[in-house]
Amino acid sequence: LHAAHVLSSELDLTVVLQRLADQLAELLDAEAADCYLLDGERGVFRCVAVHGFDRSLVGFEFPAGHGLAGAAVREGRPLIESDYGEIAAPVPHPAYDGFTDVITAPMFWSDEVHGVLGVGRREGRRFAERDANILEAFAGLAALALRNADMFTQSARQARIQRGFYRIASVLGQSLSRAATLEAIAQAAAEALGGSSAAVLVPSSGRLEAVGAYELPVDLREILGERAWGDQSPLFRAASEGRILVSSSIADDERLLPDLRGAAAASGYLSLISVPVDAPRDAGQGLVLIFFAEERSFSD
């Protein structure tokens, strides 16, 4: 009952996922717990929350047919393994080395499997059938909590998008200076996509020039304002070709020039998206550059 209350008292998806892993470990007296969501199109499990593991495990993926998780999904029920070190096709990550006893249970909603929950112990502390039943019940609660959080996240995102379009409509309906208009567009883009800051760059003399910004830190503003974003820049090429460029991990993205990556990291930004826009007076393609303080996985 306590675990159910904890899960149902929060709607932020990230918080729900972490609480889920924490409560799961406490509920079953486990040394570690994890939650993987199933990406059916790509055929992989993706780790979204952990307890008792290093946080670097979050984001790790492995084939959906592997290990006890794959077997639990195929059979549609929780499975216990008391000799985990000998299991065929285990999860291919060193974080799972040393575990002897594990349980994995699928999470269902709308009659489909959307992920798996797992708990593990070391030193031969075995799980009983009762533990598997508890995990199965908890998986049902977890599926409901995740569905509610996901619906809330989608609603919040839609509200942000509507605010962004309202902002753009307001700008177009007013007589503003060019600079004020471009800054308002940067703000609307950031709000619509849930970004922390944004900049508008337009073509000028064979390069991209930063002409509008919203909540942009000084270092980034200077780099975007001073650097000649010429045809050697991936941002320039993406804009001129009308392509969206996304970077889920700025620090590791070698397509971005080092000074931009360094300034973004120093400002606490982890992801970005570059969206091409038509520049005024047939000047060519510009772009809106949006920065995110969290690591984002971008979809269509």
Side-chain angles (χ1 to χ4, degrees), residues 265-280:
S267 301
Y269 294 145
L270 301 182
S271 304
L272 67 79
I273 181 169
S274 169
V275 182
V277 294
D278 290 327

Side-chain angles (χ1 to χ4, degrees), residues 254-292:
E254 296 183 355
R255 297 173 302 170
L256 305 176
L257 296 177
D259 51 0
L260 177 61
R261 288 158 54 191
S267 301
Y269 294 145
L270 301 182
S271 304
L272 67 79
I273 181 169
S274 169
V275 182
V277 294
D278 290 327
R281 296 186 294 275
D282 297 322
Q285 289 282 96
L287 61 86
V288 177
L289 195 59
I290 305 161
F291 294 91
F292 301 85

Side-chain angles (χ1 to χ4, degrees), residues 217-238:
V218 174
D219 289 350
L220 268 176
R221 185 184 290 267
E222 290 178 353
I223 286 176
L224 292 176
E226 296 174 3
R227 168 174 279 284
W229 297 94
D231 56 10
Q232 297 303 310
S233 165
L235 292 178
F236 184 96
R237 293 197 298 272

Side-chain angles (χ1 to χ4, degrees), residues 198-257:
V200 179
L201 287 75
V202 299
S204 176
S205 303
R207 69 185 186 95
L208 289 175
E209 177 186 1
V211 292
Y214 168 72
E215 297 291 339
L216 201 64
V218 174
D219 289 350
L220 268 176
R221 185 184 290 267
E222 290 178 353
I223 286 176
L224 292 176
E226 296 174 3
R227 168 174 279 284
W229 297 94
D231 56 10
Q232 297 303 310
S233 165
L235 292 178
F236 184 96
R237 293 197 298 272
S240 63
E241 295 170 6
R243 292 186 292 107
I244 293 176
L245 185 149
V246 300
S247 176
S248 297
S249 178
I250 294 174
D252 302 323
D253 196 334
E254 296 183 355
R255 297 173 302 170
L256 305 176
L257 296 177

Side-chain angles (χ1 to χ4, degrees), residues 9-296:
S9 63
E10 181 61 56
L11 284 175
D12 182 275
L13 184 58
T14 302
V15 176
V16 169
L17 288 167
Q18 188 55 53
R19 287 188 176 181
L20 190 159
D22 294 339
Q23 289 299 310
L24 184 55
E26 181 179 344
L27 192 64
L28 290 170
D29 187 26
E31 294 169 68
D34 56 25
C35 174
Y36 281 80
L37 295 183
L38 176 62
D39 185 333
E41 292 185 359
R42 297 172 55 224
V44 298
F45 287 118
R46 179 173 58 86
C47 183
V48 292
V50 295
H51 174 97
F53 292 110
D54 190 279
R55 288 284 303 168
S56 62
L57 187 61
V58 174
F60 169 72
E61 297 178 342
F62 70 93
H66 273 48
L68 202 63
V73 168
R74 287 192 296 272
E75 297 192 24
R77 63 185 180 89
L79 296 178
I80 302 175
E81 176 57 59
S82 296
D83 195 4
Y84 186 73
E86 301 300 322
I87 192 172
V91 177
H93 195 286
Y96 294 96
D97 294 347
F99 284 90
T100 57
D101 295 77
V102 299
I103 316 177
T104 300
M107 291 187 294
F108 289 92
W109 66 84
S110 299
D111 295 324
E112 293 184 10
V113 177
H114 286 262
V116 292
L117 298 178
V119 291
R121 292 173 178 168
R122 296 182 176 90
E123 300 177 355
R125 294 195 302 126
R126 297 198 169 195
F127 290 107
E129 191 65 30
R130 172 179 174 273
D131 297 316
N133 293 336
I134 292 173
L135 181 56
E136 184 175 29
F138 186 82
L141 295 174
L144 179 60
L146 290 180
R147 185 184 66 177
N148 290 342
D150 185 59
M151 292 174 62
F152 176 79
T153 299
Q154 293 299 325
S155 297
R157 179 175 179 270
Q158 186 62 37
R160 287 199 307 269
I161 292 172
Q162 290 174 350
R163 286 197 301 270
F165 280 120
Y166 176 78
R167 175 68 173 160
I168 292 172
S170 298
V171 168
L172 294 177
Q174 299 178 41
S175 178
L176 298 176
S177 67
R178 179 171 181 265
T181 299
L182 292 169
E183 288 183 0
I185 290 173
Q187 179 180 349
E191 290 179 348
L193 293 177
S196 300
S197 65
V200 179
L201 287 75
V202 299
S204 176
S205 303
R207 69 185 186 95
L208 289 175
E209 177 186 1
V211 292
Y214 168 72
E215 297 291 339
L216 201 64
V218 174
D219 289 350
L220 268 176
R221 185 184 290 267
E222 290 178 353
I223 286 176
L224 292 176
E226 296 174 3
R227 168 174 279 284
W229 297 94
D231 56 10
Q232 297 303 310
S233 165
L235 292 178
F236 184 96
R237 293 197 298 272
S240 63
E241 295 170 6
R243 292 186 292 107
I244 293 176
L245 185 149
V246 300
S247 176
S248 297
S249 178
I250 294 174
D252 302 323
D253 196 334
E254 296 183 355
R255 297 173 302 170
L256 305 176
L257 296 177
D259 51 0
L260 177 61
R261 288 158 54 191
S267 301
Y269 294 145
L270 301 182
S271 304
L272 67 79
I273 181 169
S274 169
V275 182
V277 294
D278 290 327
R281 296 186 294 275
D282 297 322
Q285 289 282 96
L287 61 86
V288 177
L289 195 59
I290 305 161
F291 294 91
F292 301 85
E294 70 280 357
E295 193 166 302
R296 294 281 295 269

